[in-house]
Amino acid sequence: MLTITRELRDAIVAHARADHPDEACGVVAGPEGSGRPERFVPMLNAARSPTFYEFDSGDLLKLYREMDDRDEEPVIVYHSHTATEAYPSRTDVSYASEPNAHYVLVSTAEGNGTEDPYEFRSFRIVDGVITEEDVQVVEAHQA
């Protein structure tokens, strides 16, 4: 299960909406081994595409060095789908290289059949296997 604060969930959704019609992407870092997402790091979609996302390799290297210095790891790797449901594509699965990360997808597609104007779903992707997990939204993380 992914436990995420309302503030972080809203930040991810706001980034997805701001970059629409292109896909948005980013990371939420947290203390190594905690599984607790804390630091929101929106990234630039280097592909600038409505159907594909790609982290800029320089930005990604900088982020990993930063996380290393701060004893953090990527707890959430997120991106948006602008025209399809929030479910990992074959390309998304092929890029999933963090076995401990939660892969969050936000769909900003029109008429996705939910009460909210977006879908927010989380998955584990390990060795090409996609497993959807529950998302628990909390007001704040417990200390």
Side-chain angles (χ1 to χ4, degrees):
M1 175 190 306
L2 169 62
T3 301
I4 186 171
T5 63
R6 184 174 312 283
E7 180 181 5
L8 283 172
R9 189 227 23 215
D10 292 351
I12 292 170
V13 171
H15 184 206
R17 287 182 170 150
D19 281 13
H20 189 89
D22 290 342
E23 289 192 3
C25 57
V27 170
V28 182
E32 239 173 68
S34 72
R36 193 170 64 239
E38 291 183 352
R39 189 167 64 94
F40 177 64
V41 186
M43 304 283 282
L44 175 70
N45 178 355
R48 289 195 166 88
S49 166
T51 58
F52 179 74
Y53 82 97
E54 182 176 36
F55 291 115
D56 176 271
S57 58
D59 290 349
L60 202 55
L61 181 61
K62 182 180 166 214
L63 172 63
Y64 271 81
R65 284 182 174 153
E66 203 176 85
M67 287 190 299
D68 205 36
D69 290 345
R70 297 170 66 134
D71 294 325
E72 292 176 328
E73 63 186 356
V75 177
I76 294 173
V77 176
Y78 74 87
H79 76 281
S80 62
H81 281 180
T82 60
T84 57
E85 71 172 323
Y87 190 84
S89 68
R90 284 191 304 275
T91 304
D92 297 339
V93 172
S94 71
Y95 282 133
S97 61
E98 293 288 345
N100 295 325
H102 302 272
Y103 286 87
V104 166
L105 276 99
V106 176
S107 175
T108 56
E110 297 274 333
N112 58 30
T114 63
E115 292 287 316
D116 292 327
Y118 65 88
E119 265 186 304
F120 186 99
R121 296 166 72 184
S122 184
F123 304 87
R124 294 291 191 152
I125 304 174
V126 180
D127 296 330
V129 177
I130 303 167
T131 306
E132 186 163 7
E133 61 184 351
D134 290 334
V135 176
Q136 179 184 28
V137 178
V138 296
E139 291 306 318
H141 282 298
Q142 302 301 313

